Amino acid sequence: MTWGPGAVALVVLGVLVFALGLAASIALHEVGHLLPAKRFGVKVTQYMVGFGPTVWSRRRGETEYGVKALPLGGYIRMVGMFPPRRGEDPSVVRESSTGIFQTLADDARRLSAEEVGPEDAHRAFWRLPVAKRVVIMLGGPAMNLLIAVVLLGVLTTTIGTAFAPTTRVGAVSECVLPATSTATACPADAPPTPAAAAGVLPGDEVVAFDGRPVDGWDALRADIRDAAGRAVPLVVERDGRQVDLTITPIATQVPQLDAGGAPVVGDGGAVLTEEAGFVGITPVQERAAQPVTAVPGVVADQVVAVGRVVLTLPLRMVEVAQAAFGSAPRDPEGPIGIVGVGRLSGEFAAIDQFDVTDRVAGLLGVLGGLNVALFVFNLVPLLPLDGGHVAGALWEGLRRQVARLRHRADPGPVDVARAMPVVYVVSGALVVMSLLLLYADVVRPISLLG
C-alpha cells in the first residue's frame, strides 16, 4: 500500500500518541510504588522512567527523578530490598561464599547493605511489616489497573466497545438462496429478495413497518419474521425525505435465534433453522455507548484474555519464532511487542474508512489494553516482577503466622536474595522474548491492512 503525505502524518501521530501513552503508563506505574513507599518511610533514592543512560534527572530531597534513554520500563530504587542472613548484623558483609548461586545471593545482600547508611537502617524496605511491603509492590500494578478502568470506562460509556445493529440498511441481498447454500453469486433463476423487489437501497433508514414506527432493529426483525406472506407498507428515509414502499416478506428457513439474538446451534454443531419472514436486508452496525455498570465486565474480559496469553506464553512464543524464522503465519491474537503495537496504532490512525471517533476509540482501546497487560504481567509471582516480591512477602507472613500458632520462635524475614538465580533466569527470558517480538514485528508484522 502506498501512503500519501496525509496518511504518513496520521501514522506518525498515531505512533506518537501511543508512545506518549506508554511512557505515561510506565511513569504512573512507578508512581504507584513511589507514593506508598514514601508514605511508609522507606528511603527512595531514585525514580526513573526507562533504562540505560540517563537523559535528564533532577534531585528533590533524597530522591533523584529522571528519564533514561530506553523508555521500555522504569523503576524506583528503595534501600534495603534484601534482608541480611538470619542472625547476622546487617552492616557486616560476608566476604566469602561457595557456589555460584550462593555468590549471587551474597552479592545481592552486599549491594543492598551498602545502600543503607547507619542513619537509614530503620528505613530499609525489608524492615517493613508484610502488609506494607505488599501494598508498595502492588501499587504499580494497581495504578495500571486504575488507568485501564479509566480509559476503557471512557471508551465504553461515551463511544462504546460493542457494535449494535441499527435501523439503517447496510446491504440488500440480490436474490433468495436456500439457508444451506454456500453460493457467493446469484444463479440466473434465483428470485429477487423482497427488499430488492420493493426497491430498498443501502443507506435507507427504516422509519415504519406495517403502519407502526420502528423501535430498533430487534423489533423490526421480529415484525419481519411475523409478516411472512403479507404485503405490508414500508417507510424509509432516503436523502432526507421519506419514501413509501410495499414489501412482502417471504416464508423461508432462517436461523433460530436465542433470547440474546444469537443463532442457536444444535448438538451436531449446525445452526438450527425455522420458517419465518425474510426480506434480505442487513443492518449497519454502529458503536453503542454502554452504562457505567458495563465497565467492570469490559475490564474483566480483557484481564481474562491477557491471563490466558500469559499462561500459554511459552507455546505462543514458539509460534512467534516459527512465524519470524519460518513460513508459519503470524497469529493476530498472539503476543505482540511494543514496536508492533505502535505500528498498529499508526495504521489505525491512518485508515480512511475510520472517522475521528473510530480513531479515538482505537487508541483508547490500545492504551487501555496495554495497561491491562502491564497489570496482569506484573502480578506473575516471579522475581524481578512485582508479583515475585509480593509472593516473598506473603510467604514470610505465612511462615510467621504458622510459627506463632505452633508457639515457635519468629523465623525472621524470608531470604529473598536466595532467589537471585531466578531473577537472572526470568530477566534473561524477558530480554529474549522482547528481542524475538521486536524481530517478528519487523520481519513478519501483524497488520490491520492484511
XYZ file of all heavy atoms in Angstrom, residues 34 38 43-48 54 56-68 75 77 79 115 120 123:
248
model
N 6.060 4.474 44.271
C 6.738 5.561 44.968
C 5.924 6.128 46.125
O 6.450 6.316 47.239
C 7.055 6.672 43.959
C 7.733 7.926 44.508
C 9.173 7.618 44.892
C 7.682 9.068 43.483
N 7.171 6.116 50.100
C 7.480 7.320 50.863
C 6.537 7.480 52.056
O 6.947 7.929 53.130
C 7.413 8.542 49.951
C 8.617 8.682 49.014
C 8.527 9.962 48.210
C 9.830 10.220 47.455
N 10.941 10.606 48.348
N 13.322 4.803 52.394
C 14.149 5.762 51.677
C 14.208 5.373 50.207
O 14.666 4.288 49.852
C 15.559 5.805 52.254
C 16.437 6.855 51.581
C 17.799 6.961 52.246
C 18.639 8.044 51.566
N 19.964 8.198 52.215
N 13.746 6.269 49.339
C 13.758 6.050 47.896
C 14.806 6.970 47.298
O 14.672 8.195 47.360
C 12.374 6.333 47.277
C 12.409 6.045 45.776
C 11.302 5.492 47.953
N 15.851 6.381 46.714
C 16.949 7.193 46.195
C 16.769 7.562 44.724
O 17.353 8.534 44.260
C 18.284 6.448 46.356
O 18.212 5.191 45.660
C 18.570 6.194 47.831
N 15.989 6.779 43.960
C 15.802 7.067 42.542
C 14.387 6.739 42.093
O 13.794 5.759 42.547
C 16.780 6.250 41.682
C 18.185 6.793 41.606
C 19.004 6.049 40.564
O 18.938 4.825 40.468
N 19.791 6.779 39.785
N 13.881 7.586 41.195
C 12.648 7.327 40.451
C 13.002 7.555 38.990
O 13.290 8.688 38.585
C 11.535 8.277 40.897
C 10.342 8.304 39.963
C 9.256 7.457 40.170
C 10.299 9.175 38.878
C 8.158 7.479 39.309
C 9.212 9.208 38.015
C 8.154 8.356 38.238
O 7.077 8.382 37.393
N 13.019 6.485 38.197
C 13.469 6.594 36.817
C 12.448 5.977 35.861
O 11.917 4.892 36.128
C 14.815 5.886 36.628
C 15.968 6.589 37.305
S 16.388 8.128 36.446
C 17.538 8.868 37.610
N 21.220 7.970 31.520
C 20.279 8.997 31.973
C 20.272 10.175 31.004
O 21.322 10.737 30.679
C 20.658 9.500 33.376
O 20.628 8.396 34.294
C 19.684 10.567 33.858
N 17.936 12.870 31.453
C 17.641 14.045 32.282
C 17.323 13.567 33.690
O 16.701 12.518 33.884
C 16.445 14.799 31.722
C 15.949 15.905 32.622
C 16.359 17.192 32.642
C 14.955 15.788 33.651
N 15.688 17.900 33.610
C 14.818 17.058 34.246
C 14.178 14.723 34.126
C 13.939 17.304 35.299
C 13.296 14.965 35.175
C 13.174 16.245 35.750
N 17.775 14.308 34.670
C 17.421 13.987 36.057
C 17.515 15.247 36.914
O 18.234 16.198 36.560
C 18.338 12.889 36.610
O 19.642 13.384 36.822
N 16.815 15.206 37.998
C 16.848 16.320 38.954
C 16.566 15.754 40.339
O 15.701 14.891 40.505
C 15.819 17.377 38.584
C 15.809 18.594 39.509
C 15.046 19.741 38.903
N 15.709 20.197 37.671
C 15.220 21.162 36.911
N 14.073 21.742 37.222
N 15.869 21.535 35.819
N 17.304 16.227 41.327
C 17.147 15.720 42.688
C 16.193 16.609 43.467
O 16.289 17.838 43.443
C 18.497 15.662 43.399
C 18.423 15.108 44.828
C 19.792 14.807 45.367
N 20.418 13.722 44.630
C 20.184 12.443 44.846
N 19.313 12.075 45.778
N 20.806 11.526 44.147
N 15.252 15.963 44.111
C 14.323 16.630 45.012
C 14.411 15.923 46.357
O 13.983 14.777 46.496
C 12.885 16.567 44.479
C 12.639 17.464 43.266
C 12.564 18.929 43.697
N 12.219 19.804 42.571
C 13.087 20.391 41.796
N 14.388 20.165 41.987
N 12.710 21.184 40.811
N 15.024 16.614 47.332
C 15.223 15.978 48.616
C 16.202 14.829 48.494
O 17.310 14.976 47.951
N 15.818 13.656 48.952
C 16.707 12.496 48.918
C 16.510 11.640 47.674
O 17.169 10.618 47.514
C 16.454 11.631 50.162
C 15.049 11.061 50.220
C 14.764 10.333 51.524
O 15.556 10.498 52.477
O 13.757 9.597 51.584
N 15.596 12.051 46.766
C 15.258 11.228 45.593
C 15.666 11.918 44.310
O 15.409 13.112 44.115
C 13.743 10.937 45.551
O 13.338 10.353 46.790
C 13.414 9.985 44.419
N 16.316 11.154 43.421
C 16.664 11.638 42.089
C 15.570 11.196 41.121
O 15.309 10.005 40.974
C 18.009 11.071 41.638
C 18.418 11.506 40.237
C 19.624 10.764 39.705
O 20.036 9.763 40.343
O 20.148 11.159 38.649
N 14.947 12.143 40.451
C 13.904 11.871 39.472
C 14.503 12.065 38.078
O 15.165 13.073 37.812
C 12.716 12.809 39.650
C 12.049 12.697 41.002
C 12.525 13.440 42.088
C 10.972 11.861 41.195
C 11.922 13.345 43.334
C 10.354 11.754 42.437
C 10.847 12.498 43.500
O 10.250 12.401 44.730
N 14.261 11.100 37.164
C 14.874 11.237 35.865
C 14.258 10.382 34.780
O 13.353 9.568 35.022
N 14.767 10.604 33.563
C 14.346 9.860 32.376
C 15.586 9.270 31.739
O 16.610 9.960 31.597
C 13.627 10.785 31.363
C 13.253 10.007 30.101
C 12.386 11.401 31.996
N 15.485 8.003 31.341
C 16.615 7.330 30.718
C 16.362 7.121 29.228
O 15.255 7.346 28.730
C 16.902 6.020 31.436
C 17.459 6.232 32.848
C 17.849 4.947 33.530
C 18.554 5.212 34.856
N 19.925 5.728 34.669
N 11.731 2.165 37.085
C 11.978 1.580 38.401
C 12.084 2.681 39.444
O 12.337 3.849 39.121
C 13.270 0.751 38.401
C 14.530 1.548 38.167
C 15.252 2.091 39.229
C 15.001 1.783 36.874
C 16.405 2.826 39.022
C 16.151 2.522 36.648
C 16.855 3.040 37.738
O 17.987 3.776 37.515
N 14.274 2.991 43.171
C 15.295 2.307 43.960
C 15.025 2.569 45.443
O 15.151 3.707 45.917
C 16.692 2.790 43.585
C 17.814 1.995 44.271
C 19.178 2.526 43.871
N 19.407 2.388 42.452
C 19.776 1.249 41.860
N 19.941 0.151 42.583
N 19.975 1.210 40.559
N 16.050 1.558 49.373
C 17.199 0.989 50.082
C 16.754 -0.222 50.891
O 15.614 -0.310 51.355
C 17.864 2.029 51.006
C 18.307 3.243 50.224
C 16.912 2.441 52.135
N 23.764 0.189 50.446
C 22.866 1.317 50.206
C 22.310 1.906 51.494
O 21.814 3.033 51.501
C 21.686 0.879 49.334
C 22.042 0.540 47.902
C 20.817 0.127 47.111
O 19.881 -0.441 47.702
O 20.796 0.378 45.898
N 19.958 5.383 58.206
C 18.761 4.951 57.469
C 18.413 3.490 57.719
O 17.569 2.923 57.023
C 18.976 5.151 55.961
C 19.157 6.615 55.596
O 18.450 7.447 56.189
O 20.004 6.909 54.730
N 14.932 2.564 57.898
C 14.114 2.883 56.730
C 14.298 1.870 55.601
O 13.882 2.121 54.468
C 14.458 4.284 56.235
C 14.249 5.383 57.271
C 14.587 6.740 56.710
N 13.701 7.095 55.616
C 13.912 8.129 54.813
N 14.997 8.882 54.952
N 13.061 8.399 53.833
